[in-house]
Amino acid sequence: MARLLIVSDSSRFSVSKLAGELASMGNQVTQLNLDNEPFNQRLANNYDLVVFTAINPYTALSIALTVSRSINDAVGMLNSLSVVKLLKEQGIEYELVAGDEAVKRVFTKGPYYFNTAWSLGLGGFVDTVEGARSILEYRHYLKNPLSLVSVLVHISNAQESKVFATVRHERYGEVLRRLNVQFAELTIVNGVIVEANPTPEVPLGSVREVAEVINSNVK
């Protein structure tokens, strides 16, 4: 019997459902709501595995760096939060820019998907130099060091979609395995993963699959 700790920042039904599924597989499961309880590193390391769901991924990353084992460990979280790493794993070419002159020199054809180098939910399409410079100005105004480097990728202007995937996913599972992430919510544009959240809320329809993936990691 494995001792599992699920860390979240809410009391969503999906968290309770995931805890119930894992318990039905013979595990001892404890839930910790960060909104109500402090995270105690010493106590957390008494568990065989920590599961993060529906928390800010950077908050989860800071915790993952302190625990012995988590289902999406610190290395996997860093890999998925790095947009550059995501693109590299898919063989996608990109340009990195941080200032106006660099944008002008690289902006020879468009449209581009213009993202930050770290996953911050600031990605979008741009097809003019003026538009790109305006976005850069806004990102510098944020004064968030993670937003100061931008990534330009040649992707046709298309609708973004969100896909929840585990390592069992037929199309995206291999990318997740290479990133060392067991499950994530992916932002997809024309088949390209442009962002990945390694601590998403688990959809009710995927609870059983996620529980099976977690269970396979504690045996």
Side-chain angles (χ1 to χ4, degrees):
M1 177 178 70
R3 299 185 68 224
L4 309 179
L5 175 65
I6 299 179
V7 180
S8 70
D9 57 0
S10 74
S11 52
R12 292 181 179 88
F13 177 63
S14 58
V15 178
S16 299
K17 189 88 163 52
L18 179 60
E21 288 286 351
L22 289 167
S24 72
M25 296 174 179
N27 301 297
Q28 181 182 329
V29 186
T30 302
Q31 298 179 55
L32 188 153
N33 184 336
L34 283 176
D35 279 351
N36 302 326
E37 305 172 64
F39 181 86
N40 185 301
Q41 181 221 350
R42 180 179 55 81
L43 293 179
N45 277 311
N46 290 330
Y47 290 89
D48 298 307
L49 194 66
V50 178
V51 179
F52 301 103
T53 177
I55 345 177
N56 179 298
Y58 289 96
T59 301
L61 172 59
S62 66
I63 297 174
L65 288 165
T66 74
V67 299
S68 300
R69 286 191 67 211
S70 58
I71 183 67
N72 282 348
D73 63 16
V75 171
M77 287 187 189
L78 280 168
N79 286 344
S80 60
L81 293 172
S82 166
V83 171
V84 173
K85 178 73 170 175
L86 271 172
L87 297 172
K88 183 179 177 182
E89 287 300 327
Q90 300 167 91
I92 306 299
E93 292 188 9
Y94 55 84
E95 305 277 358
L96 294 176
V97 296
D100 283 357
E101 289 304 313
V103 165
K104 283 196 294 185
R105 292 185 65 173
V106 77
F107 216 100
T108 56
K109 55 183 175 177
Y112 290 94
Y113 192 83
F114 198 20
N115 210 353
T116 40
W118 291 94
S119 180
L120 298 172
L122 297 175
F125 289 99
V126 62
D127 55 11
T128 66
V129 176
E130 292 74 19
R133 293 173 74 177
S134 176
I135 291 171
L136 273 182
E137 182 179 348
Y138 170 71
R139 292 178 181 175
H140 280 265
Y141 174 76
L142 289 176
K143 299 208 181 324
N144 180 342
L146 297 180
S147 72
L148 297 184
V149 175
S150 293
V151 183
L152 286 147
V153 187
H154 289 290
I155 304 179
S156 302
N157 198 353
Q159 198 75 23
E160 293 180 24
S161 61
K162 300 287 186 181
V163 175
F164 180 87
T166 73
V167 289
R168 299 184 178 189
H169 194 280
E170 183 178 1
R171 182 167 186 180
Y172 302 115
E174 181 55 35
V175 174
L176 293 183
R177 278 190 287 275
R178 292 201 301 268
L179 293 171
N180 198 34
V181 174
Q182 300 296 305
F183 65 89
E185 182 185 65
L186 310 174
T187 302
I188 312 292
V189 179
N190 284 4
V192 177
I193 305 174
V194 294
E195 284 198 277
N197 175 4
T199 62
E201 181 175 1
V202 178
L204 289 176
S206 302
V207 165
R208 179 73 184 180
E209 181 180 345
V210 171
E212 289 171 350
V213 168
I214 293 169
N215 200 52
S216 69
N217 276 265
V218 294
K219 297 197 171 186

